[in-house]
Amino acid sequence: MDRLSTTVRPYAWGSTTAIPELLGTAPTGEPQAEMWMGAHPGAPSRVTRHTPQGARELSLDEVIAADPERELGPAALARFGPRLPFLLKILAAGAPLSLQVHPDAARARTGYDAEERAGIPLDAPHRNYRDPHHKPELICALTPFEGFCGFRRPAETADLLAALDVDSLKPYVDLLHAHPEDAALREVLTAVLTADPAGIATTVDETAAACARLGGAHAPYAALAHHFPGDPGVLAALLLNHVLLQPGEALYLGAGVPHAYLTGLGVEIMANSDNVLRCGLTPKHIDVPELLRVVRFEAGDPGVLRPEASPAGEEVYETPVDEFRLSRYARPEGAAPADLTTATPQILLATAGSPRVGELALTPGQSVFVPAGETVELSGGGTLFRATVLA
């Protein structure tokens, strides 16, 4: 197995303190948003491998490309090809991320192929599909973690908006009382995102002022407007469930589910893709027609996940995808060793205490890559997240 050397991405929305506190290092004063663990070409982790020429530091994607069957195992290689199909992250939000959705596998392939035929460069600002893969994801809270996820019931949103007593919101209130619910949600989101920019900015500002005045359930939207004044994404967010995860709780974000993270520290795992369609809270490109093809206009509970414990002490976050499987071990000192050997590749991440993986002692924020089939035993106390695939 290999200890991973990782990259921290300094996105502007990142917390300046959360990742340093986890690692036990001094803050730099700059945002530290995401620590990536995996083989994504944008910031692959690095490992030290011993070769006949001596020790060499290699990127994990290079290591996998050199011998994919050994590193990934025959089953994962046959199922997903010569690539690690997931990316593991520590995510630290100090400010809201963009409101977004991800496509399903069929739409990702269709959209990617169409943009390739059109000759749109992969790095073009208006490109929607950077690869032909879907991007389901799971976020597990390490601290209280706040976000928006999925559509609230339209009648409940109508009551939330009506309480604000903003004249320009009243047409949306009327639409949200219409049936069926999916059509009502589609009509309101379309109206918000296609409205005259100056007019909708005024509505957002009036809405934000009313939210600040009322507080309570309205307070998160006032905070959102503080970061993104006049942005129609603030009104889009009012259609969504507001969620506060406690440590250990998680959200699964499937295809077409609108969501945004606001604040908190968490472990995130996703299919290894860059496909994002934005709804607002961003200066980046928003393709409204394509977005409306992808969004699932289904209202309901956001579905907070709590892990299912096994007799061996592994707590599994069940999701309906094969590209990743996330679990954790929360172990007291003196707990019996656990065998983590499996036929698929793994990344093991410590978030508390001092667990040992084989001969390697891990501190919070440290991680290892375990090739498929390699014998690995977990000992010591602390919390360890285990990322692998179903193949």
Side-chain angles (χ1 to χ4, degrees):
M1 72 190 72
D2 305 279
R3 192 185 294 271
L4 293 178
S5 174
T6 57
T7 298
V8 175
R9 310 306 295 264
Y11 305 134
W13 49 262
S15 168
T16 58
T17 59
I19 287 179
E21 286 176 2
L22 179 72
L23 301 179
T25 59
T28 64
E30 299 299 319
Q32 298 185 43
E34 295 181 344
M35 178 187 290
W36 287 19
M37 289 150 282
H40 189 288
S45 301
R46 303 189 70 81
V47 302
T48 298
R49 285 285 173 98
H50 295 281
T51 70
Q53 293 75 37
R56 292 184 59 203
E57 187 178 59
L58 303 167
S59 66
L60 189 54
D61 54 343
E62 290 177 313
V63 168
I64 291 171
D67 194 346
E69 184 163 348
R70 175 179 180 274
E71 305 295 338
L72 303 176
L77 178 60
R79 175 73 175 82
F80 304 109
R83 58 193 293 270
L84 189 66
F86 65 84
L87 176 63
L88 185 66
K89 301 178 179 180
I90 293 174
L91 184 147
L97 284 68
S98 63
L99 186 60
Q100 58 189 257
V101 298
H102 307 302
D104 63 20
R107 188 62 204 164
R109 167 56 70 181
T110 300
Y112 176 80
D113 288 346
E115 291 185 326
E116 286 291 279
R117 288 194 300 272
I120 302 173
L122 281 175
D123 59 354
H126 63 289
R127 174 126 187 183
N128 292 318
Y129 297 97
R130 312 287 174 175
D131 55 68
H133 306 292
H134 68 161
K135 192 189 177 189
E137 58 190 40
L138 176 79
I139 182 75
C140 177
L142 294 178
T143 67
F145 194 97
E146 186 180 11
F148 299 113
C149 176
F151 288 106
R152 189 190 297 108
R153 293 289 179 192
E156 295 174 13
T157 298
D159 291 342
L160 193 74
L161 297 185
L164 295 172
D165 196 28
V166 173
D167 286 344
S168 52
L169 292 180
K170 292 177 180 177
Y172 303 140
V173 172
D174 293 339
L175 287 172
L176 289 166
H177 283 303
H179 291 282
E181 287 187 340
D182 59 344
L185 290 168
R186 177 182 288 274
E187 193 162 353
V188 173
L189 184 63
T190 302
V192 166
L193 296 182
T194 58
D196 170 70
I200 204 71
T202 299
T203 297
V204 171
D205 291 343
E206 293 173 350
T207 300
C211 286
R213 184 174 63 253
L214 289 179
H218 296 87
Y221 306 97
L224 206 58
H226 172 75
H227 290 281
F228 298 97
D231 192 310
V234 174
L235 301 184
L238 275 159
L239 302 174
L240 307 183
N241 295 294
H242 176 242
V243 183
L244 181 61
L245 300 178
Q246 296 304 315
E249 295 180 334
L251 284 175
Y252 170 71
L253 294 315
V257 176
H259 60 279
Y261 301 149
L262 302 181
T263 59
L265 181 71
V267 172
E268 185 181 45
I269 190 168
M270 62 184 61
N272 200 351
S273 170
D274 289 325
N275 287 326
V276 175
L277 290 148
R278 295 174 178 84
C279 312
L281 312 181
T282 178
K284 294 183 179 179
H285 174 64
I286 298 176
D287 184 336
V288 174
E290 185 62 20
L291 173 72
L292 295 174
R293 292 188 189 98
V294 169
V295 171
R296 287 171 48 199
F297 291 96
E298 298 176 6
D301 186 275
V304 174
L305 295 177
R306 296 170 183 86
E308 296 288 334
S310 73
E314 184 180 25
E315 300 175 332
V316 181
Y317 293 91
E318 297 288 354
T319 63
V321 296
D322 295 339
E323 282 85 353
F324 59 77
R325 175 186 183 272
L326 186 72
S327 61
R328 71 171 183 173
Y329 290 82
R331 296 166 50 86
E333 288 293 342
D339 182 12
L340 273 55
T341 306
T342 183
T344 51
Q346 305 180 74
I347 292 178
L348 307 176
L349 164 68
T351 59
S354 52
R356 295 184 66 87
V357 179
E359 298 302 315
L360 298 178
L362 303 182
T363 58
Q366 292 186 334
S367 56
V368 298
F369 172 72
V370 185
E374 183 167 321
T375 301
V376 57
E377 184 178 80
L378 171 63
S379 60
T383 302
L384 184 98
F385 281 84
R386 182 189 196 189
T388 186
V389 303
L390 294 173

